[in-house]
Amino acid sequence: MRSYFNHVTFHQPFQLPGMETTHAPGTFEVRVEEEPLDVVWEAYHRTLTFMLTSGGRTEAYQVPEEELDRLLAADQASIV
């Protein structure tokens, strides 16, 4: 198993799956967990992607990678 994180920035309010209301824009940590595949070369399968948010408290939301990519693309399109 391996884990890593990166940061994403939303410029507009957004709503991830599981959120009851929209969240204020900002920069957030995204953590990814992957497990190794049983193949001859080194390869991994993503098992979990979640985003940490804060607004008085820290919350973690599991989000499919494709959904996070879609939300970030829509956010970027809104600032052009």
Side-chain angles (χ1 to χ4, degrees):
M1 192 71 127
R2 73 178 183 182
S3 298
Y4 62 92
F5 70 92
N6 58 32
H7 291 91
V8 297
T9 300
F10 282 94
H11 301 280
Q12 302 294 321
F14 64 95
Q15 189 167 1
L16 295 173
M19 286 183 168
E20 293 181 15
T21 62
T22 58
H23 197 288
T27 299
F28 304 94
E29 185 174 309
V30 175
R31 292 195 177 252
V32 176
E33 294 184 2
E34 298 176 328
E35 64 184 17
L37 297 175
D38 189 18
V39 294
V40 177
W41 58 90
E42 185 176 0
Y44 290 84
H45 168 73
R46 184 172 292 196
T47 57
L48 178 65
T49 302
F50 64 95
M51 190 167 110
L52 301 174
T53 67
S54 62
R57 66 178 189 220
T58 300
E59 299 176 305
Y61 291 94
Q62 185 173 347
V63 59
E65 179 183 11
E66 300 82 17
E67 179 68 6
L68 182 57
D69 290 344
R70 185 190 70 75
L71 290 167
L72 286 166
D75 183 70
Q76 289 299 314
S78 71
I79 62 171
V80 174

